[in-house]
Amino acid sequence: MTSFRGRIERLNDGLKPSEVSIDNLPGELRDLWVSSQGKLRMEMVPREDLSDNHFLRAFVEEVQGMIGDIATGTAVINVGAAEAVQTAFIQAFSYALMLIALLLWLILRSVKEVIVTLFPLLLAGLLTCAATVLFELQFNFANVIALPLLLGIGVDSAIHLLHRYKTEPNPSLGILQTSTARSVFFSAATTTVSFGNLAISNHAGTASMGIVLTIGIVSVLFCMLFILPAMLLMFVNRLPVAST
């Protein structure tokens, strides 16, 4: 009963309403709606559910079409942040691809071998995107970085397999029969288990990143062990074996 007196006082105040105007509003509340220059704030409320990205973007575009870039609020900020992340992702993926291609050319000195090395990685990225659609997984601020990471994770396996194929002294030995292929498999398996642990995280963003990375590494492993060996046989010549 310690708060009873205060509750009664608030009840009595509520039973004595008075006229409300801009002049008698509390200052902090009035400043939210009237600027120091006397301009009034206008609030727009959508009819649709803005948890749907399609409706969210359509609402923001409609509001900005009416009042221009002065529009602000949570919806505008979310759309702007999404566009910034999308632009950053495109830049990160493009820069990673260009730098990796340049480094491969410096190592291999062959445009054809660079293409053969990169094609399975790009295919793995495409398979990862297809899997996200199949399993209804959406890219977000946390897991979108997975695709550039897959380039860096997968390119070392491609280089090892390419080098082993070119320098293997026994031409009758298939690349998948070598210790290099087994090393690539077990390395990818341990990496998959490591990133797979993130999938059980209580944080939704971290969990989604773990799921996408797991799918991506499995796709990279598939392309490294099935697509790359076939392309090596078709397009890359072995180095001549030195006679003893």
Side-chain angles (χ1 to χ4, degrees):
M1 299 296 290
T2 55
S3 63
F4 180 74
R5 183 182 297 276
R7 292 175 183 271
I8 291 298
E9 291 177 354
R10 286 196 296 270
L11 179 60
N12 289 330
D13 290 339
L15 296 175
K16 300 175 182 178
S18 59
E19 184 180 354
V20 178
S21 65
I22 295 179
D23 296 330
N24 60 15
L25 283 175
E28 61 273 13
L29 180 60
R30 184 173 60 253
D31 293 341
L32 290 175
W33 294 93
V34 183
S35 68
S36 57
Q37 293 81 21
K39 294 183 178 180
L40 300 179
R41 172 185 173 185
M42 180 172 59
E43 181 176 0
M44 298 184 180
V45 180
R47 291 190 302 268
E48 295 84 3
D49 181 10
L50 294 190
S51 60
D52 188 310
N53 289 332
H54 174 73
F55 291 141
L56 174 64
R57 187 173 296 274
F59 172 68
V60 171
E61 291 177 353
E62 185 176 356
V63 171
Q64 290 179 334
M66 294 173 58
I67 62 177
D69 294 334
I70 62 174
T72 186
T74 302
V76 177
I77 293 173
N78 287 344
V79 171
E83 292 177 350
V85 171
Q86 182 179 2
T87 301
F89 162 73
I90 295 174
Q91 292 175 346
F93 188 83
S94 301
Y95 294 156
L97 181 60
M98 289 187 294
L99 291 175
I100 289 175
L102 176 61
L103 182 59
L104 286 174
W105 183 83
L106 293 174
I107 295 173
L108 303 174
R109 296 293 182 174
S110 171
V111 175
K112 181 172 65 174
E113 292 182 3
V114 170
I115 295 174
V116 169
T117 304
L118 287 178
F119 180 80
L121 295 176
L122 298 177
L123 179 60
L126 182 61
L127 291 176
T128 302
C129 293
T132 59
V133 175
L134 179 63
F135 297 115
E136 298 182 352
L137 300 172
Q138 294 185 350
F139 283 111
N140 53 46
F141 295 165
N143 62 27
V144 73
I145 199 62
L147 294 181
L149 285 176
L150 292 177
L151 287 177
I153 294 173
V155 71
D156 56 342
S157 298
I159 293 175
H160 290 314
L161 291 171
L162 173 64
H163 179 73
R164 181 61 182 265
Y165 173 81
K166 294 175 62 176
T167 59
E168 174 57 45
N170 184 6
S172 62
L173 184 65
I175 187 65
L176 296 182
Q177 297 174 288
T178 64
S179 59
T180 302
R182 291 193 295 272
S183 299
V184 167
F185 174 80
F186 288 116
S187 176
T190 56
T191 305
T192 302
V193 172
S194 299
F195 282 122
N197 289 330
L198 299 177
I200 61 176
S201 172
N202 293 328
H203 186 271
T206 303
S208 67
M209 181 171 62
I211 295 173
V212 173
L213 282 172
T214 300
I215 295 174
I217 296 174
V218 172
S219 300
V220 168
L221 180 61
F222 171 82
C223 292
M224 289 298 105
L225 297 183
F226 293 96
I227 305 301
L228 181 60
M231 296 188 67
L232 292 176
L233 289 172
M234 295 174 60
F235 302 109
V236 178
N237 298 322
R238 295 179 185 268
L239 296 178
V241 180
S243 60
T244 57

